[in-house]
Amino acid sequence: MNDHHSAVDVTARAGSAVPESLVDRVRDRLAASGDQPTPSRVAAALSAEGEVLGDTAVLDVVIALRSELAGAGPLEALLRQEKVTDVLVNGPESVWIDRGCGLERAAVGFRDESAVRRLAQRLAASANRRLDEATPYVDARLPDGSRLHAVLPPVAPRGTCISLRIPRQSAFALPDLVAVGAIPQAAAPWLAALVESRAAFLVSGGTGSGKTTLLSALLSIAPPSERILIVEDSGELDPDHEHVVRLEVRPPNVEGSGHVSMRDLVRQALRMRPDRLVVGEVRGAEVVDLLAALNTGHEGGCGTVHANSATGVPARLEALALAAGLGREALHSQVAAGLDAVIHIERDRRGHRRVSGIHALHRGSDALVSSSPAVIFGNDNVELGPYGPQLARRLGVQTPERIMPSGR
């Protein structure tokens, strides 16, 4: 058996000769009785199986069973490692982690597909969610704040897949993002001005680019007197602010009832006297209610949106709004009147995250909204785009001397 299985395979432990089949029988016996894998109960189960083992061997069985019945099993050590943001399981022998610099293979594994499936189902159960043949996938937040996504076969034909997104223990502040190179020093005043001026903005970027981290940092500098209402599908935003109210989507129960959608929550949030309405991720019909709010006196609203580039954000919003029944002309009118800017954050091939600039949203002669460069952030400088002076006046920021040509 491969070396990376040693974390979960008791037969690989030095001095241990406990066969896997025996561990399986003990597991089944404890599961049937509902007993926890304490040393005394494991010893009793071994005796019932007609086996008498020494203290060391009994302890090996206890450790193996506890890794499966508590915590995240063989993934537990990975989740505790500093800087790990994601743990991905593609199969028993394919576990990957992300420390912020791209994916790397982890030196742990599972004994077999059944072990991966058991872990996925146990994690889902800890979040009061169902994961079985009738409901072969789950997206939920675990009690420790981690976000779980899991898929079972046959939807995942090569075996159970588990994705875990780990929340940071402490929120990044803007100076922290500058220190790690995610934000150029010269960009910080522009980003802070977006919040201080109560401009409405979206943070765009791809999956894992750091949109939530950046938005949390920006919300942390909002005045403490302001009441921030955060609406999310699964809680991830964690601003360092003393007056934050969170609302989270509730999935339907096993009978298919009780669902509370993002759109429901946005409407409820508007009745809770928000100073800032924040939609953690705009990805559905809630875009209609968010834009309506931004056009009816709710300044300072913000959120994140998946987009490959800032220029693609209007088209992304249009697609979401059309699916919700809002016409193209109405959508562009709402965006033009309610949204001020798009902050784009990108992730390079090495996994490094970096804020690339701010785009302004403006309406053209065809009445459609476009997203054009206002400020481009270099490694240590700021360049103004065609709409830079206009955004600078809106934010009250002193503009640099260098202005990009309009054709860039």
Side-chain angles (χ1 to χ4, degrees):
M1 188 167 291
N2 295 339
D3 290 341
H4 64 260
H5 283 186
S6 59
V8 294
D9 179 9
V10 296
T11 64
R13 291 172 56 89
S16 174
V18 181
E20 292 181 11
S21 59
L22 178 57
V23 176
D24 290 338
R25 297 200 304 274
V26 171
R27 181 195 305 109
D28 293 342
R29 185 174 290 274
L30 292 177
S33 64
D35 291 336
Q36 294 298 312
T38 63
S40 61
R41 287 171 176 164
V42 166
L46 286 168
S47 177
E49 290 291 330
E51 300 284 347
V52 179
L53 303 180
D55 292 344
T56 300
V58 171
L59 182 59
D60 285 341
V61 177
V62 170
I63 292 173
L65 294 178
R66 282 182 175 174
S67 73
E68 292 188 10
L69 300 177
L75 305 182
E76 193 69 38
L78 301 178
L79 298 176
R80 293 177 181 174
Q81 287 185 22
E82 187 178 1
K83 297 183 179 181
V84 171
T85 60
D86 296 86
V87 176
L88 310 173
V89 181
N90 303 332
E93 300 181 1
S94 181
V95 180
W96 300 76
I97 61 173
D98 188 344
R99 307 174 196 263
C101 297
L103 293 174
E104 56 185 282
R105 194 150 193 162
V108 301
F110 294 79
R111 189 176 61 216
D112 52 29
E113 159 62 19
S114 296
V116 183
R117 183 187 181 99
R118 284 195 299 270
L119 175 60
Q121 291 178 315
R122 182 166 53 76
L123 292 175
S126 71
N128 297 314
R129 298 292 297 277
R130 176 178 175 179
L131 183 63
D132 52 28
E133 285 77 8
T135 309
Y137 52 84
V138 66
D139 185 10
R141 191 175 69 164
L142 301 179
D144 67 355
S146 300
R147 182 169 179 173
L148 163 72
H149 186 273
V151 187
L152 299 180
V155 177
R158 295 189 177 182
T160 301
C161 294
I162 301 174
S163 303
L164 290 167
R165 171 68 59 86
I166 303 139
R168 289 191 54 81
Q169 297 302 312
S170 59
F172 268 120
L174 277 183
D176 299 324
L177 295 178
V178 171
V180 299
I183 299 176
Q185 181 69 51
W190 287 85
L191 298 175
L194 278 171
V195 178
E196 294 163 0
S197 66
R198 295 186 58 79
F201 64 90
L202 293 175
V203 179
S204 66
T207 300
S209 59
K211 300 184 296 297
T212 300
T213 299
L214 176 61
L215 184 55
S216 289
L218 294 177
L219 291 173
S220 297
I221 63 176
S225 60
E226 292 187 349
R227 175 176 168 91
I228 301 175
L229 262 292
I230 298 177
V231 177
E232 294 184 275
D233 181 60
S234 181
E236 291 184 282
L237 283 169
D238 187 26
D240 182 13
H241 193 279
E242 62 185 54
H243 198 164
V244 174
V245 179
R246 293 179 174 85
L247 301 178
E248 291 186 25
V249 166
R250 185 177 72 184
N253 59 24
V254 292
E255 288 81 25
S257 61
H259 178 51
V260 179
S261 69
M262 286 282 284
R263 194 166 190 180
D264 295 329
L265 294 181
V266 171
R267 291 171 177 172
Q268 297 309 311
L270 292 174
R271 297 181 175 95
M272 298 173 68
R273 201 261 181 215
D275 288 307
R276 293 181 188 267
L277 174 63
V278 182
V279 177
E281 182 182 335
V282 180
R283 60 179 179 182
E286 67 275 1
V287 67
V288 175
D289 300 284
L290 174 61
L291 291 174
L294 298 179
N295 279 275
T296 53
H298 293 276
E299 296 182 333
C302 53
T304 74
V305 63
H306 276 85
N308 292 330
S309 65
T311 56
V313 169
R316 172 70 171 151
L317 297 179
E318 182 179 315
L320 296 175
L322 287 173
L326 183 66
R328 189 184 194 195
E329 182 177 348
L331 177 278
H332 283 268
S333 295
Q334 296 262 32
V335 171
L339 273 175
D340 294 297
V342 174
I343 306 169
H344 191 68
I345 184 167
E346 55 191 23
R347 187 172 185 173
D348 63 25
R349 294 181 179 179
R350 295 178 296 174
H352 297 149
R353 304 170 176 93
R354 186 176 176 281
V355 178
S356 61
I358 304 174
H359 277 51
L361 297 169
H362 59 94
R363 204 166 189 176
S365 57
D366 57 0
L368 301 180
V369 171
S370 297
S371 174
S372 298
V375 191
I376 302 300
F377 301 140
N379 292 329
D380 55 3
N381 69 309
V382 171
E383 295 183 359
L384 241 57
Y387 289 86
Q390 174 184 321
L391 182 64
R393 288 192 296 270
R394 168 69 176 86
L395 305 183
V397 176
Q398 184 176 358
T399 61
E401 294 181 359
R402 184 176 180 185
I403 299 179
M404 290 165 41
S406 58
R408 178 168 172 173

